[in-house]
Amino acid sequence: MSKLSTYFSLVMVMVFWGANVVAVKILVYTFAPITITAFRIFIASLTVFLVLGIAGQWRKVTAKEMLMMFVTGLLNVVAHHYCLATGLTKTTASNAGIILGMSPLLTALLALIFLRDRFRAAKFIGIIFGFAGVIFIVTHSSAKIGAVSLGDMLIFLAVLAQAVSFIFIKKLAATIDARLLTGWMLLFGSVVLFLASLFIEPDGLLRLKEGKITTWFIFLASAILATGLGQMIYNRAIHSLGAAESAIFINLSPFFSLVASSLFLGETIHVVQWFGFFFIVVGVMLASGAVEEGFSKMMRTFGQRKLMG
């Protein structure tokens, strides 16, 4: 897959993930949050394994690989989704959005430390631009920003768990197909979350009957498109581009969340939020290396024409 195709697929994943915020909001208000999250991730894992079966990419994994995928699943699935779901009940949406916007920065810093990624000036500026855009969006999507709370800390832990998991994924993806890695991570994570829900939400299974047909349709769309296929594509991008560069695209997710909220929940998008989106796009282009690559290509073309002329 070319770099341009990978960039396009990452943007589409951010569309899915952005819309998924609205979907999850509907699901957690209808069902017990941890229980429905466990089932959603379980369906996502089945989706990934189905894709693997069709593509003929299934293979046995070693005990060591299984253990590493289990640990990564604890971080990327269990810790991230549990802290996120719990944290959102204890803090404002604006605070959560700002903290979630730190994911690319944390991932880039961890990649610099543990993966020895080259930290170019353009990438650093891109991260700052992207983070600034996230702040523009989330601080104008709510009337106020709350003080630091337990919820804020839980959201930060969700981001930290995800950022650390991206480092593990980058290392594992060198020997394990990203799709296979995603499937096992989601399966392990869903099982652990389900076991936890039996203690945290004793009535969780009984509340599943409260869902309407439209709600279950939203559940399937969230599980298959956003969680299953989306996570699979994203993990594959980590293998191709690296943890830090792939994480930059997460800055697009808050904007698409606002678009989905406007379309499906009737919320208003302000002009300043479009301004924030501009910052995010510039940040993604700088940090991903698209600007540098495009400039280099243009200079090579100009040089060739000058020689021919």
Side-chain angles (χ1 to χ4, degrees), residues 25-48:
K25 183 175 182 179
I26 294 171
L27 293 174
V28 298
Y29 271 96
T30 306
F31 307 106
I34 306 302
T35 303
I36 198 62
T37 298
F39 276 96
R40 179 170 60 86
I41 295 173
F42 177 70
I43 295 299
S45 71
L46 296 184
T47 301
V48 175

Side-chain angles (χ1 to χ4, degrees), residues 129-130 251-252 276-287 291:
F129 264 76
N251 278 324
L252 291 169
F277 179 59
F278 170 76
F279 267 78
I280 290 173
V281 171
V282 172
V284 168
M285 292 178 68
L286 284 171
V291 173

Side-chain angles (χ1 to χ4, degrees), residues 58-302:
W58 178 267
R59 76 164 176 86
K60 291 182 178 181
V61 293
T62 66
K64 184 180 179 181
E65 290 174 333
M66 192 73 76
L67 177 61
M68 289 296 294
M69 288 190 290
F70 178 75
V71 172
T72 308
L74 289 179
L75 290 167
N76 187 269
V77 180
V78 180
H80 175 71
H81 285 281
Y82 178 84
C83 290
L84 186 61
T86 308
L88 282 170
T89 66
K90 302 178 186 297
T91 188
T92 63
S94 291
N95 276 22
I98 291 174
I99 298 167
L100 287 170
M102 293 174 64
S103 179
L105 181 58
L106 278 176
T107 304
L109 290 175
L110 290 173
L112 178 66
I113 296 169
F114 296 107
L115 299 180
R116 301 186 184 279
D117 278 10
R118 189 162 60 93
F119 207 67
R120 303 186 308 271
K123 181 175 287 189
F124 180 75
I125 294 171
I127 291 172
I128 299 301
F129 264 76
F131 186 53
V134 171
I135 292 176
F136 267 109
I137 287 178
V138 298
T139 55
H140 289 82
S141 61
S142 181
K144 62 179 181 179
I145 301 177
V148 175
S149 64
L150 175 61
D152 295 329
M153 293 302 298
L154 286 169
I155 298 296
F156 176 77
L157 288 175
V159 174
L160 182 60
Q162 186 182 54
V164 173
S165 76
F166 289 158
I167 305 302
F168 278 86
I169 290 169
K170 173 61 178 176
K171 287 183 173 294
L172 285 170
T175 57
I176 305 174
D177 185 279
R179 292 167 294 184
L180 185 64
L181 171 61
T182 303
W184 281 113
M185 278 173 44
L186 293 174
L187 180 60
F188 288 143
S190 66
V191 171
V192 174
L193 279 173
F194 176 70
L195 294 175
S197 72
L198 295 178
F199 295 95
I200 300 170
E201 300 165 347
D203 63 337
L205 292 175
L206 293 175
R207 288 183 58 184
L208 292 177
K209 63 183 180 182
E210 297 175 9
K212 298 178 181 178
I213 294 178
T214 52
T215 310
W216 284 110
F217 177 78
I218 292 171
F219 167 83
L220 289 174
S222 172
I224 296 171
L225 295 178
T227 309
L229 298 179
Q231 191 67 56
M232 182 176 64
I233 293 169
Y234 187 81
N235 289 347
R236 196 171 186 182
I238 290 178
H239 173 60
S240 301
L241 303 177
E245 191 169 326
S246 300
I248 298 300
F249 286 81
I250 293 177
N251 278 324
L252 291 169
S253 183
F255 172 76
F256 291 123
S257 296
L258 288 174
V259 172
S261 297
S262 176
L263 291 174
F264 301 108
L265 301 179
E267 296 181 4
T268 303
I269 302 178
H270 303 287
V271 174
V272 71
Q273 292 168 320
W274 287 106
F275 188 64
F277 179 59
F278 170 76
F279 267 78
I280 290 173
V281 171
V282 172
V284 168
M285 292 178 68
L286 284 171
S288 66
V291 173
E292 289 180 280
E293 191 173 329
F295 181 76
S296 298
K297 188 175 182 180
M298 183 180 69
M299 291 302 294
R300 286 196 301 270
T301 303
F302 177 76

